[in-house]
Amino acid sequence: MSNPSGPLPVVEAWATYRTGNANQWTAAELAATKKDRVSVVIPARNEQDTIGDIVSVIRRDLIERVQLVDEIVVVDSRSTDATAMLARAAGARVVAQDDMTRGLPRMEGKGDALWSGLAASTGDIVAFVDGDLRDFSSTFVTGLVGPLVTNRSVEFVKGFYHRPLVGATSVEVDGGGRVTELSARPLINLFWPELAGFVQPLAGEYAGRRHTLESIPFVSGYGVEIAMLIDLLDLVGLDALAQVDLGERHHRHQTIDALGRMSAQIMVTAWSRLHRHGLATTPVPPTTLLTQFQRGGEDALPHLNRQVVVSDVSVDERPPLVTVPRPAVRAA
């Protein structure tokens, strides 16, 4: 049995020259250097506790103090709280996910909100930031757009960070990212080993050039991040991809059941890409139903003391934006 002592040479080489740190660039330096419009897109669903602060920090540091960012677009993904109102009050342009996709098939999930944000934004460089970040720093944005502003050979930048998992009595410094370690990383290493150098392939913070982002599909659910990396690898090659250390990320953690559903959607998404490469016989797995068990409950089955919960983890895809007639995408 082989016992490799290190990463693939191509992965090691790529990680060496395509990995940066957010502290490499200041906002003022990038603002003085940039030649393209920069948009920040924030998908948000019921994020009233965090969205105002995120928008305010970006506006203060990257629009008012220096002119690095040209617009902040918040995509209201069917929120039932004050997310839209607070984002607008903080200075963002708010668009509704369903308004941007009116006339197109209805889809669920984060990927559809990202696609809507790309359609609504106008920047030549588009940075995506999650809407549930706490203790947000504008270095997240400067770190993501830094390689794109300073190096024309870079088409897409992925963020990575330390993700502490805060428990009731303790904190695991790098305890976050459980879906990455248990689902996404094994899939990537097995089938797309060139991408193995990405520290956090499922990170929700990334940026790219519009012409590249508009040329790939967006998976509707939680498979959007892994699909994006795989599709970009096919489209522009590993050398055009980069990653940047953004420091530390604080956000809301999901339950183990929710993480299971996320993992299943990632596996379904990976299956579709394997099919495109001739490595799976059908475009979808034999089933996209996920059976999980919850302790107790009124509908608990005899002898199990658990309730059976079945979820559909299938995913849809918005086609590359460049292929969609512009009148079909409503202007904000």
Side-chain angles (χ1 to χ4, degrees):
M1 182 179 295
S2 62
N3 184 25
S5 59
L8 292 174
V10 66
V11 172
E12 185 173 14
W14 174 83
T16 299
Y17 75 91
R18 283 303 198 210
T19 299
N21 189 289
N23 295 325
Q24 288 179 236
W25 309 276
T26 67
E29 290 169 344
L30 293 176
T33 304
K34 77 161 187 165
K35 295 180 174 60
D36 299 313
R37 281 180 58 82
V38 176
S39 299
V40 176
V41 172
I42 309 170
R45 182 173 188 174
N46 295 332
E47 304 295 358
Q48 65 179 13
D49 293 339
T50 51
I51 193 65
D53 180 60
I54 295 171
V55 172
S56 296
V57 169
I58 296 172
R59 172 163 288 280
R60 181 194 67 205
D61 292 355
L62 305 182
I63 294 181
E64 296 172 353
R65 290 181 180 173
V66 300
Q67 296 179 344
L68 175 61
V69 170
D70 296 282
E71 66 174 352
I72 306 168
V73 178
V74 169
V75 182
D76 181 19
S77 184
R78 304 166 188 152
S79 296
T80 57
D81 64 2
T83 292
M85 180 187 69
L86 293 172
R88 193 175 289 111
R93 179 161 64 92
V94 178
V95 298
Q97 177 179 336
D98 290 333
D99 283 348
M100 294 306 303
T101 58
R102 188 168 299 169
L104 301 173
R106 178 184 172 94
M107 293 186 184
E108 303 292 336
K110 177 184 177 183
D112 193 43
L114 294 171
W115 189 91
S116 299
L118 180 62
S121 63
T122 61
D124 308 292
I125 294 172
V126 182
F128 296 97
V129 176
D130 277 349
D132 64 344
L133 301 181
R134 292 182 169 84
D135 304 319
F136 179 78
S137 168
S138 60
T139 56
F140 269 43
V141 176
T142 55
L144 291 172
V145 304
L148 295 162
V149 169
T150 60
N151 190 335
R152 299 300 301 186
S153 69
V154 174
E155 293 289 329
F156 180 82
V157 180
K158 189 80 168 179
F160 69 94
Y161 26 64
H162 294 292
R163 294 181 63 186
L165 178 62
V166 180
T169 59
S170 63
V171 176
E172 290 184 57
V173 177
D174 281 314
R178 290 166 287 175
V179 174
T180 292
E181 299 305 325
L182 298 176
S183 178
R185 198 179 307 285
L187 284 168
I188 284 173
N189 278 267
L190 287 171
F191 300 110
W192 296 277
E194 304 100 313
L195 297 173
F198 279 94
V199 177
Q200 283 167 333
L202 302 184
E205 283 64 51
Y206 36 84
R209 302 192 189 281
R210 172 170 297 279
H211 61 81
T212 296
L213 293 170
E214 288 192 349
S215 298
I216 59 173
F218 278 57
V219 171
S220 61
Y222 285 106
V224 61
E225 275 87 18
I226 194 169
M228 193 175 289
L229 277 185
I230 295 167
D231 294 346
L232 287 169
L233 179 65
D234 291 339
L235 179 68
V236 299
L238 182 63
D239 188 59
L241 311 180
Q243 64 180 348
V244 170
D245 186 347
L246 301 178
E248 190 166 277
R249 185 186 200 270
H250 299 268
H251 68 120
R252 181 181 63 250
H253 293 290
Q254 301 278 3
T255 66
I256 193 67
D257 288 344
L259 295 179
R261 293 188 290 272
M262 291 169 62
S263 295
Q265 284 200 321
I266 288 165
M267 292 178 185
V268 171
T269 303
W271 181 289
S272 70
R273 269 61 190 169
L274 290 171
H275 177 258
R276 292 179 189 177
H277 286 272
L279 298 175
T281 56
T282 59
V284 294
T287 180
T288 56
L289 297 180
L290 176 67
T291 299
Q292 295 175 297
F293 297 90
Q294 293 181 356
R295 183 181 295 275
E298 295 180 359
D299 298 324
L301 293 181
H303 310 300
L304 286 179
N305 192 32
R306 288 166 176 82
Q307 181 176 345
V308 177
V309 179
V310 178
S311 304
D312 184 357
V313 294
S314 59
V315 298
D316 296 307
E317 293 189 17
R318 290 288 182 207
L321 194 57
V322 71
T323 68
V324 178
R326 300 308 279 185
V329 180
R330 291 171 55 88

